[in-house]
Amino acid sequence: MKKPVVRFAPSPTGYLHIGGARTALFNWLFARQNNGKFLLRIEDTDLERSKIEYVDQIKNALNWLGMDWDDDIIFQSKNNSNHQKVIKELIQSGDAYKCFLTKEELDNLRIQADKNKEVFRVPRTYRDTSEEKQNELIDEGRSYTIRLKVPEGITKFKDLVFGEIIVDNKDLDDFIISRSDGSPTYNFVVAIDDIAMDISHIIRGDDHIANTPKQILVYNALKKNVPIFAHLPMILGSDKKRLSKRHAATNVQEYRDKGFTPDSIINYLSLLGWNPDSNDEIFNINELIKLFNFKQVQKKSAVFDEKKLLWISGQKMKEMTSKDILKEILLIDKAWGKDHNNSYLESVISLTKDRSKNLIDIIDISDIFLINEVNYSDEFKSIMSDQNGTMIIKDFLNAVKIEESWDKQTVEKVFEQIMNQHDIGLGKVMKPLRIAISGISYGPGIFDMMILLGKDLTINRITNAINFYK
């Protein structure tokens, strides 16, 4: 485990999704915990679907989450010359061969196997064909693929999550490492690139378990040390099916736009498949680096629960300073609070963050502190009219106008005075006043809200509410 080298290898055919971010996180935590390297490789060999905008988004998302990578980014498409070189070496060593079986021949054999209710296996027709015969077939215009010779015996590996996995090689075909157009296949190039990057540990989703024996066979054919594998449980939606857009937002950018902080996303992702063997659920990044352990990664699939994410995000809001929250808000909305100074905005955040699950909640709740005029709603007419709300706020207005000071003690004194005057409880005074001051029936503590808004603005809003509801 000393100074491991791991890699995160996304394909730039779409935005970085939650599952990819979780894989990147577990790689990053393991590398940082063991003073190793976390490398980024962009697997961009699908030239039609790969786009530079997706590369940029992947980089931006990792940067936003705080997962810095070591060394320069590796682009798989730039390694083609090495891929071709290794293919030639494998042919020369006799570990790979040219296969002239056509698609039509293979399709017919597959159909026949289905009819006979047999497991289809690719025949090894050209495995030992002489070079002279191969050249004759090429001269005839026959196209060919290149297949790796799968040896007899077994292929086994010890997975850090799933334990020892054994595959009987007779259940594997001589698999293609280069297509008829000369392009190398996924299982081949992944192994070659991992060898070139000196990857010591391969940490990825458990949907790659089936690929692992083939990649190990490439290592063995080249007489290279096989890395240690760790396959992570799949992430499912609430219906226990693979996470997709029907369950929730799936890419990291969407969660940033929805007002989640990097710290809350990292905290939640760490718990998707990892169980710290304690009741603790809130961690900072340094704690995660210290505590992460593959022995605590579960084999069963993790279920994505956005309610749990919201809860974690709410806990993080409470922990953050108002200054840090302001920085995060301005990253998603540069114009937020532009007419107010930072000191005032931080005070607004202090009043609203404990009631908020994420940054968007704070933006929505704090609107009452940033607008010039309140938009009143007819839905509160019964409270303001039938329940003497207008009379209560009129008397409150007259009482505060004659007060010289404006502090919490003064406001509380006026509240008590109105309660005694109307012989009502605190709630009966609070509700119409909250509606008058903010236009809504919920929000931060009303005393703190009035003090922050100031006496003049409070009086102005109460006056406007009286005119609206009279």
Side-chain angles (χ1 to χ4, degrees), residues 1 17 22 27 51 58 60 71 98 142 173 183 218 220 223 249 256 262 267 320 331 361 373 395 441 443 455 461:
M1 299 294 183
H17 56 80
R22 194 276 305 268
N27 274 277
K51 295 182 180 180
I58 290 167
N60 291 339
D71 301 345
K98 296 172 183 175
R142 295 280 294 274
D173 291 323
S183 62
V218 173
N220 291 342
K223 297 178 173 57
R256 180 178 182 176
N267 192 149
M320 291 177 71
L331 287 176
D361 277 357
E373 292 186 3
D395 290 342
S441 59
K455 183 177 181 180
R461 289 188 179 184

Short mmCIF file of all heavy atoms in Angstrom, two decimals, residues 1 17 22 27 51 58 60 71 98 142 173 183 218 220 223 249 256 262 267 320 331 361 373 395 441 443 455 461:
data_model
loop_
_atom_site.label_atom_id
_atom_site.label_comp_id
_atom_site.label_asym_id
_atom_site.label_seq_id
_atom_site.Cartn_x
_atom_site.Cartn_y
_atom_site.Cartn_z
N MET A 1 0.82 -1.21 0.00
CA MET A 1 0.00 0.00 0.00
C MET A 1 0.87 1.27 0.00
O MET A 1 0.34 2.36 0.00
CB MET A 1 -0.92 0.02 1.22
CG MET A 1 -1.90 -1.15 1.28
SD MET A 1 -3.09 -1.08 -0.05
CE MET A 1 -4.11 -2.50 0.35
N HIS A 17 -20.79 11.94 -14.12
CA HIS A 17 -21.99 11.60 -13.37
C HIS A 17 -21.64 11.18 -11.94
O HIS A 17 -20.46 11.04 -11.58
CB HIS A 17 -22.80 10.51 -14.07
CG HIS A 17 -22.02 9.25 -14.36
ND1 HIS A 17 -21.78 8.28 -13.42
CD2 HIS A 17 -21.42 8.83 -15.50
CE1 HIS A 17 -21.08 7.31 -13.95
NE2 HIS A 17 -20.84 7.61 -15.21
N ARG A 22 -18.07 9.15 -7.58
CA ARG A 22 -17.81 8.26 -6.44
C ARG A 22 -16.56 7.41 -6.69
O ARG A 22 -15.73 7.23 -5.79
CB ARG A 22 -19.04 7.38 -6.20
CG ARG A 22 -19.07 6.63 -4.84
CD ARG A 22 -18.30 5.32 -4.87
NE ARG A 22 -18.70 4.42 -5.90
CZ ARG A 22 -19.62 3.46 -5.80
NH1 ARG A 22 -20.24 3.28 -4.66
NH2 ARG A 22 -19.88 2.68 -6.83
N ASN A 27 -10.72 6.46 -5.40
CA ASN A 27 -9.34 6.45 -5.88
C ASN A 27 -8.53 7.55 -5.21
O ASN A 27 -7.41 7.33 -4.73
CB ASN A 27 -9.31 6.66 -7.40
CG ASN A 27 -9.47 5.39 -8.21
OD1 ASN A 27 -8.51 4.65 -8.43
ND2 ASN A 27 -10.69 5.13 -8.64
N LYS A 51 -16.07 14.57 -26.86
CA LYS A 51 -16.10 16.01 -27.13
C LYS A 51 -15.25 16.75 -26.10
O LYS A 51 -15.23 16.39 -24.92
CB LYS A 51 -17.54 16.54 -27.08
CG LYS A 51 -18.43 15.97 -28.17
CD LYS A 51 -19.84 16.57 -28.08
CE LYS A 51 -20.74 16.02 -29.17
NZ LYS A 51 -22.11 16.59 -29.10
N ILE A 58 -15.49 17.49 -17.06
CA ILE A 58 -14.92 16.50 -16.13
C ILE A 58 -13.84 17.15 -15.28
O ILE A 58 -13.80 16.99 -14.05
CB ILE A 58 -14.37 15.29 -16.91
CG1 ILE A 58 -15.52 14.47 -17.50
CG2 ILE A 58 -13.50 14.41 -16.00
CD1 ILE A 58 -15.08 13.44 -18.53
N ASN A 60 -13.46 20.38 -14.65
CA ASN A 60 -14.06 21.39 -13.78
C ASN A 60 -14.76 20.76 -12.58
O ASN A 60 -14.70 21.27 -11.46
CB ASN A 60 -15.04 22.25 -14.57
CG ASN A 60 -14.35 23.15 -15.59
OD1 ASN A 60 -13.16 23.43 -15.46
ND2 ASN A 60 -15.07 23.57 -16.61
N ASP A 71 0.41 14.98 -11.90
CA ASP A 71 1.01 14.88 -13.24
C ASP A 71 0.03 15.38 -14.31
O ASP A 71 -1.08 15.80 -14.02
CB ASP A 71 1.44 13.44 -13.55
CG ASP A 71 2.47 12.91 -12.55
OD1 ASP A 71 3.05 13.75 -11.82
OD2 ASP A 71 2.68 11.69 -12.51
N LYS A 98 -3.70 -13.69 -36.11
CA LYS A 98 -4.65 -13.09 -37.03
C LYS A 98 -5.78 -14.09 -37.28
O LYS A 98 -5.54 -15.25 -37.62
CB LYS A 98 -3.96 -12.74 -38.35
CG LYS A 98 -2.88 -11.68 -38.21
CD LYS A 98 -2.09 -11.49 -39.49
CE LYS A 98 -0.96 -10.47 -39.29
NZ LYS A 98 -0.10 -10.35 -40.48
N ARG A 142 -8.85 -11.00 -47.84
CA ARG A 142 -9.56 -11.34 -46.61
C ARG A 142 -9.16 -10.39 -45.48
O ARG A 142 -7.97 -10.14 -45.25
CB ARG A 142 -9.26 -12.79 -46.19
CG ARG A 142 -9.76 -13.85 -47.16
CD ARG A 142 -11.24 -14.12 -46.98
NE ARG A 142 -11.54 -14.72 -45.68
CZ ARG A 142 -11.49 -16.02 -45.43
NH1 ARG A 142 -11.14 -16.88 -46.39
NH2 ARG A 142 -11.80 -16.48 -44.22
N ASP A 173 -13.31 -16.90 -24.63
CA ASP A 173 -12.87 -17.02 -26.03
C ASP A 173 -11.50 -16.39 -26.19
O ASP A 173 -11.09 -15.55 -25.37
CB ASP A 173 -13.86 -16.30 -26.95
CG ASP A 173 -15.21 -16.99 -27.00
OD1 ASP A 173 -15.24 -18.24 -26.99
OD2 ASP A 173 -16.23 -16.27 -27.06
N SER A 183 -8.21 -0.86 -35.32
CA SER A 183 -8.37 -0.16 -34.05
C SER A 183 -8.36 -1.16 -32.89
O SER A 183 -9.02 -2.19 -32.96
CB SER A 183 -9.68 0.63 -34.04
OG SER A 183 -10.79 -0.24 -34.18
N VAL A 218 -3.80 -10.12 -20.64
CA VAL A 218 -2.91 -9.24 -21.40
C VAL A 218 -1.63 -8.99 -20.60
O VAL A 218 -0.52 -9.05 -21.15
CB VAL A 218 -3.60 -7.91 -21.74
CG1 VAL A 218 -2.62 -6.93 -22.39
CG2 VAL A 218 -4.80 -8.15 -22.66
N ASN A 220 -0.35 -10.95 -18.34
CA ASN A 220 0.42 -12.20 -18.31
C ASN A 220 1.16 -12.45 -19.62
O ASN A 220 2.30 -12.89 -19.62
CB ASN A 220 -0.50 -13.39 -17.99
CG ASN A 220 -1.03 -13.34 -16.56
OD1 ASN A 220 -0.48 -12.63 -15.70
ND2 ASN A 220 -2.09 -14.08 -16.29
N LYS A 223 4.12 -10.48 -19.66
CA LYS A 223 4.98 -10.77 -18.49
C LYS A 223 5.16 -9.53 -17.61
O LYS A 223 6.26 -9.20 -17.17
CB LYS A 223 6.34 -11.32 -18.94
CG LYS A 223 6.21 -12.66 -19.67
CD LYS A 223 7.55 -13.16 -20.15
CE LYS A 223 7.44 -14.57 -20.72
NZ LYS A 223 6.46 -14.69 -21.83
N ALA A 249 -31.08 13.88 -10.48
CA ALA A 249 -30.01 14.41 -11.33
C ALA A 249 -28.84 13.43 -11.28
O ALA A 249 -28.59 12.82 -10.25
CB ALA A 249 -29.59 15.78 -10.80
N ARG A 256 -24.30 20.93 -8.45
CA ARG A 256 -23.70 22.24 -8.17
C ARG A 256 -24.74 23.34 -8.42
O ARG A 256 -24.90 24.26 -7.62
CB ARG A 256 -22.48 22.46 -9.07
CG ARG A 256 -21.79 23.79 -8.86
CD ARG A 256 -20.56 23.94 -9.73
NE ARG A 256 -19.88 25.19 -9.48
CZ ARG A 256 -18.74 25.55 -10.04
NH1 ARG A 256 -18.13 24.74 -10.89
NH2 ARG A 256 -18.19 26.71 -9.77
N PRO A 262 -19.44 21.43 -2.48
CA PRO A 262 -18.54 20.30 -2.73
C PRO A 262 -18.40 19.39 -1.51
O PRO A 262 -18.40 18.17 -1.64
CB PRO A 262 -17.20 20.97 -3.07
CG PRO A 262 -17.53 22.34 -3.48
CD PRO A 262 -18.78 22.72 -2.76
N ASN A 267 -19.03 14.23 1.09
CA ASN A 267 -19.47 13.49 2.29
C ASN A 267 -20.49 12.42 1.90
O ASN A 267 -20.39 11.26 2.32
CB ASN A 267 -20.06 14.47 3.30
CG ASN A 267 -20.29 13.87 4.68
OD1 ASN A 267 -20.22 14.56 5.70
ND2 ASN A 267 -20.57 12.58 4.76
N MET A 320 -20.77 25.46 8.30
CA MET A 320 -20.01 26.44 7.53
C MET A 320 -20.14 27.85 8.11
O MET A 320 -21.17 28.21 8.67
CB MET A 320 -20.48 26.46 6.07
CG MET A 320 -20.13 25.21 5.28
SD MET A 320 -20.80 25.26 3.58
CE MET A 320 -19.74 26.53 2.84
N LEU A 331 -20.41 31.85 -6.38
CA LEU A 331 -19.93 30.99 -7.47
C LEU A 331 -21.07 30.55 -8.37
O LEU A 331 -20.87 30.31 -9.57
CB LEU A 331 -19.22 29.74 -6.90
CG LEU A 331 -17.84 29.96 -6.29
CD1 LEU A 331 -17.32 28.66 -5.69
CD2 LEU A 331 -16.86 30.47 -7.35
N ASP A 361 -31.63 27.12 -1.05
CA ASP A 361 -32.55 27.42 0.06
C ASP A 361 -32.21 28.77 0.68
O ASP A 361 -33.10 29.58 0.97
CB ASP A 361 -32.45 26.34 1.14
CG ASP A 361 -33.30 25.12 0.83
OD1 ASP A 361 -34.00 25.14 -0.20
OD2 ASP A 361 -33.26 24.16 1.61
N GLU A 373 -39.33 46.05 -2.04
CA GLU A 373 -40.73 46.03 -1.65
C GLU A 373 -41.22 44.60 -1.58
O GLU A 373 -40.85 43.76 -2.40
CB GLU A 373 -41.58 46.82 -2.65
CG GLU A 373 -41.31 48.32 -2.61
CD GLU A 373 -42.27 49.10 -3.49
OE1 GLU A 373 -43.18 48.47 -4.07
OE2 GLU A 373 -42.12 50.33 -3.60
N ASP A 395 -51.36 48.60 15.76
CA ASP A 395 -50.97 48.96 17.13
C ASP A 395 -49.47 48.76 17.32
O ASP A 395 -48.82 49.54 18.03
CB ASP A 395 -51.75 48.10 18.13
CG ASP A 395 -53.23 48.48 18.18
OD1 ASP A 395 -53.57 49.58 17.72
OD2 ASP A 395 -54.03 47.66 18.67
N SER A 441 -45.28 33.36 5.62
CA SER A 441 -45.65 33.00 6.99
C SER A 441 -44.58 32.18 7.71
O SER A 441 -44.84 31.61 8.77
CB SER A 441 -46.96 32.20 6.96
OG SER A 441 -46.81 31.03 6.17
N GLY A 443 -39.95 31.63 8.17
CA GLY A 443 -38.64 32.26 7.95
C GLY A 443 -37.85 32.34 9.23
O GLY A 443 -38.16 31.69 10.24
N LYS A 455 -35.10 49.73 11.64
CA LYS A 455 -36.38 50.31 12.06
C LYS A 455 -37.14 50.92 10.90
O LYS A 455 -38.35 50.69 10.74
CB LYS A 455 -36.12 51.36 13.14
CG LYS A 455 -37.41 51.97 13.70
CD LYS A 455 -37.09 52.95 14.82
CE LYS A 455 -38.39 53.54 15.41
NZ LYS A 455 -38.11 54.49 16.51
N ARG A 461 -42.49 48.57 5.74
CA ARG A 461 -43.18 47.35 5.29
C ARG A 461 -44.50 47.15 6.04
O ARG A 461 -45.49 46.72 5.43
CB ARG A 461 -42.26 46.14 5.48
CG ARG A 461 -41.10 46.12 4.48
CD ARG A 461 -40.31 44.82 4.54
NE ARG A 461 -39.22 44.83 3.58
CZ ARG A 461 -38.40 43.80 3.35
NH1 ARG A 461 -38.55 42.67 4.05
NH2 ARG A 461 -37.45 43.88 2.46
#
